[in-house]
Amino acid sequence: MCEPEYFPFCSPSNQLTASREPVPVLIFAVVALLTNQSFQAASIIEIGLFLAILLITFLLTRALANTRAALVAALLWAVFIPALELVPQVSGDLLACLFLTLSMFFLMRARQTNRWRDWLSAGIGMGLGILSRSAMIFILPGLVFGLLWEGWA
């Protein structure tokens, strides 16, 4: 069923939702079902995604550098205009960004600990990121190349 509030170009003759990535469509379809198609609920989900990215950016930067650098990174994310403009929209971009940052966090941890559950979490995060925004697939070859390079060095 087509919901024009969430997918504005959707009509019986134009089913553009079929060309959207599945994870955000399914998440926001569930939100629409549970909240009687409340756009405010979808916006609250987007705010939560934005804040989760902020937290993971802080944790990732703190693990790579220090607390001061992590605070600067979190501040830069908090005032990053393109990301702030995504909050009132219902899209897969923030969701993909969240999964990418989670994937990077677990990838970094997996390289340090070599625990299989960290490698699995990194892979699941990357997979869900790709299923949230298909352009994320172009990050994967760089990651694979870097891991292979590191293994040979």
Side-chain angles (χ1 to χ4, degrees):
M1 179 174 201
C2 178
E3 296 295 338
E5 293 85 18
Y6 287 93
F7 307 104
F9 305 110
C10 185
S11 68
S13 64
N14 184 9
Q15 293 291 321
L16 269 182
T17 57
S19 69
R20 303 284 188 233
E21 286 82 359
V23 172
V25 169
L26 291 173
I27 287 174
F28 288 112
V30 169
V31 170
L33 182 68
L34 295 176
T35 63
N36 198 22
Q37 301 176 11
S38 167
F39 190 73
Q40 286 87 8
S43 294
I44 289 170
I45 297 293
E46 292 285 334
I47 290 168
L49 293 173
F50 184 86
L51 293 174
I53 295 166
L54 183 122
L55 175 64
I56 296 166
T57 300
F58 174 82
L59 294 174
L60 184 60
T61 308
R62 188 175 68 181
L64 289 170
N66 56 41
T67 302
R68 180 176 288 165
L71 288 171
V72 170
L75 174 67
L76 289 173
W77 175 255
V79 298
F80 185 53
I81 301 297
L84 288 169
E85 290 174 346
L86 289 173
V87 171
Q89 299 177 18
V90 177
S91 70
D93 295 326
L94 285 177
L95 194 58
C97 185
L98 173 65
F99 287 130
L100 175 67
T101 53
L102 273 173
S103 180
M104 295 301 104
F105 180 79
F106 283 111
L107 180 65
M108 182 193 65
R109 219 162 87 175
R111 288 178 54 241
Q112 292 170 348
T113 65
N114 206 24
R115 288 188 304 209
W116 68 270
R117 69 175 178 249
D118 291 333
W119 288 106
L120 181 65
S121 298
I124 289 171
M126 182 56 69
L128 288 172
I130 292 169
L131 289 172
S132 297
R133 186 81 168 108
S134 57
M136 300 289 269
I137 199 164
F138 294 109
I139 295 171
L140 199 55
L143 289 176
V144 170
F145 178 75
L147 289 171
L148 290 173
W149 183 274
E150 182 183 58
W152 288 326

